[in-house]
């Protein structure tokens, strides 16, 4: 990790500005920034300190880095107050409407001056996955600053987006920014648990209002630095599709028995062989190029001397955009090829459709040009696949252009030591 938080803000700001002025004419690839009015992106010392402190949260009270266990009546009012205290201009601007949706999620509608332009939407989420104190260099909800990094659960997933978007808007508004193109900012509160009360409700609300979007930008992919041997410069990947998912339970029922007279095959043995056949076919390291299979639970047995009647395993598939839930299920059954193994789908969804990334794709081209103007060292921007699931899947009815990108540098060493536990700190530029 070695990228300033300020860059994230700059990206959000340049994106907002660029979108405001992008021409609808042909040849988007080269035109997006040509006529952008320049609101200077210089920040005062005071503004820089305020940005940094905002990401850390409020000492002694519910902060932007909240655990799901904090979801409750206090979250809404505290977070509301925190946001309106940090971003007073956003909340008092007459052309911005703020709504609370599904009790804890937020929707901002920013009305542009040209209603003929199709609006776009920026997404971020408020919630985080739980964080026990073990394994952290600092208490996970402290928002502590050490050696130029801010440590805390949620700093990169996804308070950086949330703060970056709102701060960019606040600072632009202070500088008399009036967008031409309308846009929405949607902040879900339950992204980590499928988003059914947040993003799904916001999506339903917008669909009921007849909204169609030019494109959506959400978290999901990064700037990769040092991952590909021989590639010296970092490259940015903008995900244009999201993998699907199946949580599949495999179950074997046999007659129970005593371990003193074991049958030739036990429920555990049959299941283990089935799971083994499934796993042999895939390598987890190929997550980006194929469907992956992971055994996540294995339950059987109650006593040391009883051969259990039931053995269950749960396998988690992440489905590549070229495949469907039905295809993967059929493949799994064919590979297991044992009638004694029952298949129960616990939950499943297909991969998202692939968003356009050609020369005429407004959202993609705008992101590409914005990335290259904020990070001049990046000369490669590629479309890719997101290996995890985001709130954006709830908005498929609203747009054909969903782009997943978070302007953070990922390096193999930080990936190994921190990413698995999401203890990845955000670095800001020293000021
Ligand atoms: C998308 O639109 C269809 C048709 O109106 C509707 O049946 C479906 O529920 C919508 N899906 C979502 C996820 O909103
Ligand atoms: Zn996230």
């Amino acid at each position: 990790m070695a990228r300033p938080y300020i860059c994230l803000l700059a990206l959000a700001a340049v994106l907002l500005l660029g979108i405001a002025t992008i021409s609808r004419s042909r040849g988007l690839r080269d035109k997006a920034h040509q006529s952008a009015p320049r609101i200077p992106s210089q920040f005062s010392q005071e503004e820089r300190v305020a940005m940094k402190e905002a990401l850390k949260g409020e000492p002694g009270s519910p902060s932007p880095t909240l655990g799901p266990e904090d979801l409750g009546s206090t979250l809404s009012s505290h977070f509301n107050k925190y946001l309106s205290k940090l971003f007073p201009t956003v909340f008092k601007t007459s052309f911005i409407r703020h709504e609370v949706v599904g009790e804890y999620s937020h929707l901002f509608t920013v009305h542009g001056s040209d209603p003929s332009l199709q609006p776009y939407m920026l997404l971020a989420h408020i919630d985080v996955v739980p964080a026990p104190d073990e394994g952290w260099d600092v208490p996970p909800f402290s928002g502590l600053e050490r050696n130029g990094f801010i440590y805390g659960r949620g700093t990169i997933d996804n308070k950086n987006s949330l703060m970056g978007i709102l701060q960019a808007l606040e600072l632009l508004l202070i500088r008399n920014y009036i967008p031409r193109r309308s846009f929405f900012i949607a902040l879900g509160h339950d992204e980590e648990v499928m988003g059914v009360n947040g993003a799904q409700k916001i999506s339903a609300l917008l669909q009921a209002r007849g909204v169609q979007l030019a494109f959506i930008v959400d978290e999901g992919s990064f700037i990769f630095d040092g991952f590909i041997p021989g590639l010296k410069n970092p490259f940015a990947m903008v995900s244009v599709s999201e993998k699907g998912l199946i949580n599949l339970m495999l179950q074997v029922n046999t007659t129970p028995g005593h371990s003193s007279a074991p049958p030739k095959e036990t429920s555990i043995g049959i299941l283990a062989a089935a799971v083994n056949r499934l796993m042999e076919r895939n390598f987890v390291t190929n997550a980006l190029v194929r469907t992956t299979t992971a055994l996540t639970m294995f339950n059987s047995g109650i006593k040391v001397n009883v051969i259990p009647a039931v053995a269950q395993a749960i396998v988690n598939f992440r489905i590549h955009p070229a495949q469907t839930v039905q295809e993967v299920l059929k493949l799994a059954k064919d590979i297991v090829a044992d009638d004694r193994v029952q298949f129960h789908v616990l939950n499943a969804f297909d991969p998202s459709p692939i968003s356009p990334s050609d020369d005429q794709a407004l959202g993609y081209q705008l992101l590409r040009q914005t990335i290259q103007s904020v990070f001049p060292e990046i000369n490669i921007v590629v479309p890719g696949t997101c290996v995890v699931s985001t709130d954006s899947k709830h908005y498929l009815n609203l747009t054909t252009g969903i782009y997943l990108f978070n302007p953070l540098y990922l390096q193999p060493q930080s990936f190994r030591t921190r990413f698995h536990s999401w203890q990845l700190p955000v670095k800001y530029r020293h000021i």
Side-chain angles (χ1 to χ4, degrees), residues 140 143 163 266 341 350:
M163 289 293 158
T266 65
V341 180
D350 280 321

Side-chain angles (χ1 to χ4, degrees), residues 251-254 265 270 338-342:
Q251 182 169 322
V252 175
N253 298 320
T254 52
E265 283 186 294
I270 295 166
D338 186 339
D339 290 343
R340 294 169 300 179
V341 180
Q342 300 164 15

Side-chain angles (χ1 to χ4, degrees), residues 396-418:
L396 293 170
N397 272 357
L398 289 161
T399 184
T400 53
I402 295 183
Y403 302 101
L404 309 175
F405 179 72
N406 216 332
L408 289 164
Y409 266 65
L410 279 196
Q411 286 154 339
Q413 60 272 32
S414 57
F415 200 79
R416 272 196 297 275
T417 57
R418 301 197 185 276

Side-chain angles (χ1 to χ4, degrees), residues 200 203-204 207 393-398:
Q200 196 168 307
S203 175
Q207 287 180 57
K393 64 180 168 297
H394 296 296
Y395 296 99
L396 293 170
N397 272 357
L398 289 161

